[in-house]
Amino acid sequence: QEREERPHRGNEERKQRSSSEQEHRRDRSDDRERHREHSDRRKNPSERPGGRGHERDRDAQNMHEQQVEREFYNERRREHREKNEASGVNQNLELRQAENKPKEPVKKEKPSFELSGALLEDTNTFRGVVIKYSEPPEARIPKTRWRLYPFKNDEFLPVMYIHRQSAYLLGRHRRIADIPIDHPSCSKQHAVFQYRLVEYTRADGSVGRRVRPYIIDLGSGNGTFLNNQRIEPQRYYELKEKDVLKFGFSSREYVLLHESSDKSEANTKDDDDEEEEKEQESDS
C-alpha cells in the first residue's frame, strides 16, 4: 500500500509545488508591475491624479481664461474710447460752427413799472382774512358826501355815510365787511362800493376828471341788482344819484343820494369836482 501510495503522494506534492510556484511567480510578476508603475509615476509626476502636474495644468488653464477675458474687456474699452473721441470731434465741430455763426443782437427787456401783485399777497389780508378784491390805481376818496338810504318794506333804516373811504366791502362776513349784509342769500364777500377817478367830456368839448361811485359784484352766488337788473360779476358799473341797489334775495333796498340831492344837478358838474380836477392837475 505504501508503494502504491507513494507515487500518488509524489504527484500531489508536485502539484502543490507547481501551484505554489505559479502563485509565487504571479506575486512576483504583480510586484514587478507595481514597481514599474511606481517608477513611472516618479519619472512622470504629471500623470498622477491630484499631483503637481494637474495643478499646473489647472493654473495654466485659469491664466489662459483670464487673458482671454482681459483681451475682451480691453477691446470693449478701446471701442468705447473711439466712440467718445468721435463724439468729442463732432461736438468740437459744432462748437466751431456755432462760434463762426454771426451772433444775433440780444434784445434787452424794457423796465416795467406796472404793479406786479407781489405785495398784494401780504397787504390784501385784513384781520387774518384774505380779501378777494383789491382797489384799482384810480381809487380816490370823494369830495361829495354820498349816502346810502336803506329801506325794508317801506321801513326807514339808519342812513349810511359812505364818503370817508375810497371803497366799502359789503357781505355777510362781519369781521371784514364795511357794510354788513346779514341775509343768508348773500355771500361773505358779496360786492364792493368803489370810488374811481375817471375822465369825462365837458359841454365845450374839453376833457375833465372827476370821482364817481361804482359798484362791482365779487362773483356772489345770488348776484347784485342795480335798479332791479342783475349786473355781471367782476365788472364795474357806474352809479348815479337815486340808483337802487339790492343784494341776493334780501328785501332791503339801498338808495344812493348825497347831501345836495334836493337840487337838480343831473348834467352839471359839482364844485367839488372842480376842486378835485385842480388837485389832480397840481399832482401831475
Side-chain angles (χ1 to χ4, degrees):
Q1 290 179 354
E2 289 178 357
R3 288 176 183 175
E4 291 177 357
E5 292 175 356
R6 278 180 184 175
H8 291 288
R9 290 176 182 172
N11 291 331
E12 291 177 357
E13 289 178 356
R14 287 173 187 169
K15 290 179 179 178
Q16 290 178 356
R17 288 175 185 173
S18 61
S19 62
S20 62
E21 287 177 358
Q22 289 177 359
E23 290 177 358
H24 183 65
R25 289 174 184 171
R26 288 174 185 171
D27 293 337
R28 289 184 66 184
S29 63
D30 293 337
D31 292 338
R32 287 174 184 172
E33 289 178 358
R34 290 174 184 169
H35 182 68
R36 284 176 186 173
E37 290 177 358
H38 183 68
S39 62
D40 292 339
R41 288 174 184 173
R42 291 185 64 184
K43 290 178 181 178
N44 299 324
S46 61
E47 295 180 0
R48 289 183 294 174
R52 294 180 180 176
H54 287 282
E55 293 178 356
R56 290 176 183 173
D57 293 341
R58 194 181 298 110
D59 294 339
Q61 187 176 1
N62 293 335
M63 290 288 291
H64 181 67
E65 292 177 355
Q66 290 177 2
Q67 187 174 0
V68 171
E69 187 175 1
R70 192 179 297 110
E71 290 177 356
F72 174 73
Y73 282 112
N74 289 336
E75 186 68 22
R76 289 189 63 182
R77 290 195 191 95
R78 193 178 300 109
E79 292 177 356
H80 186 65
R81 193 183 304 113
E82 290 175 357
K83 288 181 180 178
N84 290 337
E85 290 177 355
S87 63
V89 171
N90 294 331
Q91 290 178 359
N92 291 331
L93 289 174
E94 291 177 358
L95 290 173
R96 289 176 184 174
Q97 292 176 358
E99 289 176 356
N100 293 329
K101 286 183 180 179
K103 295 182 179 180
E104 297 180 357
V106 180
K107 295 181 180 179
K108 295 183 179 180
E109 293 183 0
K110 296 181 179 180
S112 176
F113 300 101
E114 296 180 357
L115 296 175
S116 63
L119 295 176
L120 186 62
E121 297 177 357
D122 297 331
T123 59
N124 206 26
T125 57
F126 181 66
R127 296 181 179 177
V129 181
V130 178
I131 309 299
K132 296 193 298 184
Y133 174 80
S134 59
E135 290 191 63
E138 67 272 12
R140 297 289 188 277
I141 297 176
K143 298 291 183 179
T144 305
R145 297 183 178 181
W146 291 95
R147 301 169 185 176
L148 279 177
Y149 291 82
F151 294 90
K152 182 178 180 181
N153 298 327
D154 297 333
E155 180 184 353
F156 182 75
L157 298 176
V159 180
M160 298 179 181
Y161 297 92
I162 53 172
H163 63 276
R164 298 183 179 92
Q165 298 176 191
S166 59
Y168 289 85
L169 177 64
L170 299 93
R172 274 192 305 112
H173 205 311
R174 281 186 165 269
R175 189 173 182 181
I176 58 174
D178 299 305
I179 301 176
I181 305 174
D182 296 329
H183 200 272
S185 64
C186 298
S187 302
K188 292 182 178 179
Q189 299 182 37
H190 195 98
V192 172
F193 192 85
Q194 178 71 60
Y195 292 102
R196 301 171 63 197
L197 180 66
V198 294
E199 295 181 351
Y200 75 103
T201 305
R202 298 190 183 96
D204 57 356
S206 60
V207 177
R209 290 186 295 180
R210 61 186 176 185
V211 177
R212 300 298 298 172
Y214 287 81
I215 188 72
I216 180 172
D217 185 84
L218 300 180
S220 60
N222 297 314
T224 301
F225 297 86
L226 174 60
N227 298 327
N228 294 324
Q229 292 185 357
R230 184 167 180 172
I231 63 175
E232 296 181 9
Q234 306 298 335
R235 179 181 171 186
Y236 287 108
Y237 285 83
E238 184 178 355
L239 299 177
K240 298 178 181 178
E241 185 184 358
K242 299 181 182 180
D243 280 345
V244 180
L245 294 171
K246 291 182 68 176
F247 305 98
F249 302 137
S250 176
S251 61
R252 293 193 180 188
E253 296 181 350
Y254 298 85
V255 181
L256 180 64
L257 298 172
H258 54 78
E259 60 182 355
S260 57
S261 292
D262 54 340
K263 299 177 182 179
S264 59
E265 300 174 353
N267 296 323
T268 59
K269 186 163 63 71
D270 298 337
D271 295 336
D272 294 335
D273 295 337
E274 293 178 356
E275 293 178 0
E276 291 169 4
E277 288 180 7
K278 292 178 181 179
E279 290 179 0
Q280 295 298 327
E281 290 174 359
S282 63
D283 293 340
S284 61

mmCIF file of all heavy atoms in Angstrom, residues 206-233:
data_model
loop_
_atom_site.group_PDB
_atom_site.id
_atom_site.type_symbol
_atom_site.label_atom_id
_atom_site.label_comp_id
_atom_site.label_asym_id
_atom_site.label_seq_id
_atom_site.Cartn_x
_atom_site.Cartn_y
_atom_site.Cartn_z
ATOM 1 N N SER A 206 -63.948 170.031 -23.927
ATOM 2 C CA SER A 206 -62.713 169.740 -23.195
ATOM 3 C C SER A 206 -62.899 168.508 -22.312
ATOM 4 O O SER A 206 -64.013 168.117 -21.988
ATOM 5 C CB SER A 206 -62.311 170.951 -22.350
ATOM 6 O OG SER A 206 -63.342 171.257 -21.419
ATOM 7 N N VAL A 207 -61.780 167.910 -21.924
ATOM 8 C CA VAL A 207 -61.795 166.685 -21.122
ATOM 9 C C VAL A 207 -61.457 167.035 -19.683
ATOM 10 O O VAL A 207 -60.496 167.779 -19.408
ATOM 11 C CB VAL A 207 -60.789 165.652 -21.671
ATOM 12 C CG1 VAL A 207 -60.769 164.408 -20.793
ATOM 13 C CG2 VAL A 207 -61.125 165.285 -23.111
ATOM 14 N N GLY A 208 -62.255 166.562 -18.776
ATOM 15 C CA GLY A 208 -62.009 166.776 -17.351
ATOM 16 C C GLY A 208 -62.011 165.458 -16.604
ATOM 17 O O GLY A 208 -62.278 164.381 -17.168
ATOM 18 N N ARG A 209 -61.720 165.503 -15.311
ATOM 19 C CA ARG A 209 -61.691 164.306 -14.465
ATOM 20 C C ARG A 209 -62.483 164.558 -13.190
ATOM 21 O O ARG A 209 -62.446 165.664 -12.640
ATOM 22 C CB ARG A 209 -60.243 163.921 -14.117
ATOM 23 C CG ARG A 209 -59.468 163.386 -15.300
ATOM 24 C CD ARG A 209 -58.105 162.888 -14.902
ATOM 25 N NE ARG A 209 -57.249 163.983 -14.421
ATOM 26 C CZ ARG A 209 -55.990 163.809 -14.010
ATOM 27 N NH1 ARG A 209 -55.461 162.605 -14.009
ATOM 28 N NH2 ARG A 209 -55.284 164.841 -13.588
ATOM 29 N N ARG A 210 -63.154 163.516 -12.746
ATOM 30 C CA ARG A 210 -63.939 163.612 -11.516
ATOM 31 C C ARG A 210 -64.037 162.232 -10.879
ATOM 32 O O ARG A 210 -63.821 161.209 -11.548
ATOM 33 C CB ARG A 210 -65.327 164.173 -11.813
ATOM 34 C CG ARG A 210 -66.133 163.312 -12.769
ATOM 35 C CD ARG A 210 -67.429 163.976 -13.136
ATOM 36 N NE ARG A 210 -68.180 163.212 -14.139
ATOM 37 C CZ ARG A 210 -69.312 163.628 -14.699
ATOM 38 N NH1 ARG A 210 -69.814 164.815 -14.376
ATOM 39 N NH2 ARG A 210 -69.929 162.880 -15.591
ATOM 40 N N VAL A 211 -64.389 162.228 -9.596
ATOM 41 C CA VAL A 211 -64.544 160.983 -8.841
ATOM 42 C C VAL A 211 -66.006 160.577 -8.870
ATOM 43 O O VAL A 211 -66.883 161.370 -8.495
ATOM 44 C CB VAL A 211 -64.046 161.161 -7.385
ATOM 45 C CG1 VAL A 211 -64.274 159.871 -6.592
ATOM 46 C CG2 VAL A 211 -62.568 161.536 -7.367
ATOM 47 N N ARG A 212 -66.232 159.333 -9.341
ATOM 48 C CA ARG A 212 -67.592 158.831 -9.453
ATOM 49 C C ARG A 212 -67.725 157.508 -8.699
ATOM 50 O O ARG A 212 -66.760 156.742 -8.583
ATOM 51 C CB ARG A 212 -67.966 158.601 -10.922
ATOM 52 C CG ARG A 212 -67.895 159.840 -11.786
ATOM 53 C CD ARG A 212 -68.871 160.897 -11.320
ATOM 54 N NE ARG A 212 -70.252 160.431 -11.421
ATOM 55 C CZ ARG A 212 -71.302 161.077 -10.947
ATOM 56 N NH1 ARG A 212 -71.128 162.225 -10.308
ATOM 57 N NH2 ARG A 212 -72.515 160.583 -11.095
ATOM 58 N N PRO A 213 -68.912 157.196 -8.152
ATOM 59 C CA PRO A 213 -69.124 155.930 -7.456
ATOM 60 C C PRO A 213 -69.425 154.789 -8.439
ATOM 61 O O PRO A 213 -70.101 154.982 -9.453
ATOM 62 C CB PRO A 213 -70.333 156.218 -6.561
ATOM 63 C CG PRO A 213 -71.091 157.265 -7.306
ATOM 64 C CD PRO A 213 -70.088 158.095 -8.041
ATOM 65 N N TYR A 214 -68.904 153.594 -8.100
ATOM 66 C CA TYR A 214 -69.119 152.391 -8.898
ATOM 67 C C TYR A 214 -69.468 151.240 -7.966
ATOM 68 O O TYR A 214 -69.128 151.242 -6.776
ATOM 69 C CB TYR A 214 -67.868 152.031 -9.704
ATOM 70 C CG TYR A 214 -67.594 152.940 -10.887
ATOM 71 C CD1 TYR A 214 -66.976 154.173 -10.700
ATOM 72 C CD2 TYR A 214 -67.956 152.577 -12.176
ATOM 73 C CE1 TYR A 214 -66.717 155.014 -11.773
ATOM 74 C CE2 TYR A 214 -67.707 153.416 -13.248
ATOM 75 C CZ TYR A 214 -67.084 154.628 -13.047
ATOM 76 O OH TYR A 214 -66.832 155.455 -14.112
ATOM 77 N N ILE A 215 -70.115 150.234 -8.535
ATOM 78 C CA ILE A 215 -70.419 149.005 -7.811
ATOM 79 C C ILE A 215 -69.849 147.840 -8.621
ATOM 80 O O ILE A 215 -69.916 147.848 -9.861
ATOM 81 C CB ILE A 215 -71.943 148.835 -7.580
ATOM 82 C CG1 ILE A 215 -72.219 147.658 -6.646
ATOM 83 C CG2 ILE A 215 -72.677 148.680 -8.894
ATOM 84 C CD1 ILE A 215 -71.844 147.915 -5.204
ATOM 85 N N ILE A 216 -69.273 146.855 -7.939
ATOM 86 C CA ILE A 216 -68.734 145.664 -8.597
ATOM 87 C C ILE A 216 -69.133 144.436 -7.782
ATOM 88 O O ILE A 216 -69.006 144.428 -6.546
ATOM 89 C CB ILE A 216 -67.192 145.749 -8.753
ATOM 90 C CG1 ILE A 216 -66.652 144.482 -9.437
ATOM 91 C CG2 ILE A 216 -66.512 145.997 -7.436
ATOM 92 C CD1 ILE A 216 -65.172 144.571 -9.796
ATOM 93 N N ASP A 217 -69.658 143.447 -8.454
ATOM 94 C CA ASP A 217 -70.035 142.185 -7.808
ATOM 95 C C ASP A 217 -68.829 141.253 -7.799
ATOM 96 O O ASP A 217 -68.155 141.082 -8.824
ATOM 97 C CB ASP A 217 -71.201 141.534 -8.559
ATOM 98 C CG ASP A 217 -71.695 140.283 -7.856
ATOM 99 O OD1 ASP A 217 -72.510 140.392 -6.931
ATOM 100 O OD2 ASP A 217 -71.241 139.181 -8.248
ATOM 101 N N LEU A 218 -68.523 140.628 -6.647
ATOM 102 C CA LEU A 218 -67.340 139.776 -6.484
ATOM 103 C C LEU A 218 -67.637 138.313 -6.790
ATOM 104 O O LEU A 218 -67.049 137.424 -6.168
ATOM 105 C CB LEU A 218 -66.785 139.913 -5.067
ATOM 106 C CG LEU A 218 -66.355 141.316 -4.645
ATOM 107 C CD1 LEU A 218 -65.820 141.315 -3.227
ATOM 108 C CD2 LEU A 218 -65.315 141.876 -5.610
ATOM 109 N N GLY A 219 -68.523 138.056 -7.731
ATOM 110 C CA GLY A 219 -68.837 136.673 -8.081
ATOM 111 C C GLY A 219 -69.724 136.003 -7.052
ATOM 112 O O GLY A 219 -69.533 134.816 -6.743
ATOM 113 N N SER A 220 -70.676 136.739 -6.518
ATOM 114 C CA SER A 220 -71.559 136.181 -5.487
ATOM 115 C C SER A 220 -72.484 135.129 -6.087
ATOM 116 O O SER A 220 -72.709 135.071 -7.302
ATOM 117 C CB SER A 220 -72.387 137.310 -4.868
ATOM 118 O OG SER A 220 -73.179 137.943 -5.864
ATOM 119 N N GLY A 221 -73.037 134.291 -5.199
ATOM 120 C CA GLY A 221 -73.893 133.210 -5.666
ATOM 121 C C GLY A 221 -75.233 133.680 -6.184
ATOM 122 O O GLY A 221 -75.740 133.178 -7.187
ATOM 123 N N ASN A 222 -75.837 134.657 -5.518
ATOM 124 C CA ASN A 222 -77.180 135.116 -5.888
ATOM 125 C C ASN A 222 -77.200 136.495 -6.524
ATOM 126 O O ASN A 222 -78.275 137.031 -6.795
ATOM 127 C CB ASN A 222 -78.083 135.096 -4.650
ATOM 128 C CG ASN A 222 -78.255 133.686 -4.106
ATOM 129 O OD1 ASN A 222 -78.501 132.752 -4.858
ATOM 130 N ND2 ASN A 222 -78.104 133.530 -2.801
ATOM 131 N N GLY A 223 -76.058 137.103 -6.741
ATOM 132 C CA GLY A 223 -75.962 138.283 -7.560
ATOM 133 C C GLY A 223 -76.263 139.597 -6.865
ATOM 134 O O GLY A 223 -76.747 139.650 -5.736
ATOM 135 N N THR A 224 -75.934 140.670 -7.591
ATOM 136 C CA THR A 224 -76.206 142.043 -7.167
ATOM 137 C C THR A 224 -77.115 142.688 -8.210
ATOM 138 O O THR A 224 -76.916 142.491 -9.411
ATOM 139 C CB THR A 224 -74.890 142.835 -7.039
ATOM 140 O OG1 THR A 224 -74.042 142.182 -6.082
ATOM 141 C CG2 THR A 224 -75.155 144.254 -6.582
ATOM 142 N N PHE A 225 -78.093 143.452 -7.744
ATOM 143 C CA PHE A 225 -79.104 144.030 -8.633
ATOM 144 C C PHE A 225 -79.020 145.549 -8.585
ATOM 145 O O PHE A 225 -79.026 146.153 -7.498
ATOM 146 C CB PHE A 225 -80.506 143.572 -8.227
ATOM 147 C CG PHE A 225 -80.691 142.081 -8.349
ATOM 148 C CD1 PHE A 225 -80.324 141.238 -7.302
ATOM 149 C CD2 PHE A 225 -81.219 141.534 -9.500
ATOM 150 C CE1 PHE A 225 -80.497 139.869 -7.406
ATOM 151 C CE2 PHE A 225 -81.399 140.159 -9.616
ATOM 152 C CZ PHE A 225 -81.039 139.328 -8.567
ATOM 153 N N LEU A 226 -78.915 146.166 -9.764
ATOM 154 C CA LEU A 226 -78.911 147.624 -9.922
ATOM 155 C C LEU A 226 -80.189 148.022 -10.655
ATOM 156 O O LEU A 226 -80.381 147.653 -11.818
ATOM 157 C CB LEU A 226 -77.672 148.073 -10.700
ATOM 158 C CG LEU A 226 -77.584 149.550 -11.072
ATOM 159 C CD1 LEU A 226 -77.608 150.425 -9.824
ATOM 160 C CD2 LEU A 226 -76.339 149.824 -11.904
ATOM 161 N N ASN A 227 -81.055 148.744 -9.920
ATOM 162 C CA ASN A 227 -82.364 149.129 -10.470
ATOM 163 C C ASN A 227 -83.129 147.900 -10.973
ATOM 164 O O ASN A 227 -83.644 147.870 -12.105
ATOM 165 C CB ASN A 227 -82.197 150.163 -11.582
ATOM 166 C CG ASN A 227 -81.569 151.443 -11.066
ATOM 167 O OD1 ASN A 227 -81.783 151.841 -9.921
ATOM 168 N ND2 ASN A 227 -80.769 152.095 -11.913
ATOM 169 N N ASN A 228 -83.123 146.848 -10.130
ATOM 170 C CA ASN A 228 -83.848 145.589 -10.381
ATOM 171 C C ASN A 228 -83.298 144.798 -11.568
ATOM 172 O O ASN A 228 -83.981 143.914 -12.093
ATOM 173 C CB ASN A 228 -85.348 145.856 -10.597
ATOM 174 C CG ASN A 228 -86.013 146.373 -9.334
ATOM 175 O OD1 ASN A 228 -85.664 145.961 -8.215
ATOM 176 N ND2 ASN A 228 -86.965 147.281 -9.490
ATOM 177 N N GLN A 229 -82.083 145.073 -11.992
ATOM 178 C CA GLN A 229 -81.432 144.298 -13.043
ATOM 179 C C GLN A 229 -80.119 143.742 -12.514
ATOM 180 O O GLN A 229 -79.310 144.496 -11.951
ATOM 181 C CB GLN A 229 -81.178 145.164 -14.284
ATOM 182 C CG GLN A 229 -82.449 145.573 -15.010
ATOM 183 C CD GLN A 229 -82.152 146.324 -16.293
ATOM 184 O OE1 GLN A 229 -80.994 146.584 -16.623
ATOM 185 N NE2 GLN A 229 -83.199 146.680 -17.023
ATOM 186 N N ARG A 230 -79.949 142.452 -12.714
ATOM 187 C CA ARG A 230 -78.738 141.801 -12.188
ATOM 188 C C ARG A 230 -77.529 142.204 -13.023
ATOM 189 O O ARG A 230 -77.570 142.167 -14.266
ATOM 190 C CB ARG A 230 -78.889 140.275 -12.203
ATOM 191 C CG ARG A 230 -77.714 139.527 -11.588
ATOM 192 C CD ARG A 230 -78.048 138.074 -11.351
ATOM 193 N NE ARG A 230 -76.925 137.366 -10.757
ATOM 194 C CZ ARG A 230 -76.993 136.114 -10.303
ATOM 195 N NH1 ARG A 230 -78.136 135.437 -10.384
ATOM 196 N NH2 ARG A 230 -75.930 135.538 -9.776
ATOM 197 N N ILE A 231 -76.459 142.590 -12.348
ATOM 198 C CA ILE A 231 -75.247 143.010 -13.040
ATOM 199 C C ILE A 231 -74.296 141.823 -13.187
ATOM 200 O O ILE A 231 -74.369 140.838 -12.446
ATOM 201 C CB ILE A 231 -74.561 144.173 -12.293
ATOM 202 C CG1 ILE A 231 -74.109 143.727 -10.891
ATOM 203 C CG2 ILE A 231 -75.488 145.378 -12.208
ATOM 204 C CD1 ILE A 231 -73.318 144.773 -10.137
ATOM 205 N N GLU A 232 -73.377 141.929 -14.148
ATOM 206 C CA GLU A 232 -72.388 140.876 -14.364
ATOM 207 C C GLU A 232 -71.312 140.932 -13.278
ATOM 208 O O GLU A 232 -70.943 142.021 -12.826
ATOM 209 C CB GLU A 232 -71.750 141.037 -15.736
ATOM 210 C CG GLU A 232 -72.721 140.867 -16.887
ATOM 211 C CD GLU A 232 -72.029 141.014 -18.223
ATOM 212 O OE1 GLU A 232 -70.780 141.078 -18.234
ATOM 213 O OE2 GLU A 232 -72.731 141.069 -19.251
ATOM 214 N N PRO A 233 -70.796 139.790 -12.859
ATOM 215 C CA PRO A 233 -69.753 139.799 -11.821
ATOM 216 C C PRO A 233 -68.417 140.299 -12.368
ATOM 217 O O PRO A 233 -68.162 140.244 -13.574
ATOM 218 C CB PRO A 233 -69.673 138.332 -11.391
ATOM 219 C CG PRO A 233 -70.175 137.567 -12.571
ATOM 220 C CD PRO A 233 -71.200 138.427 -13.232
#
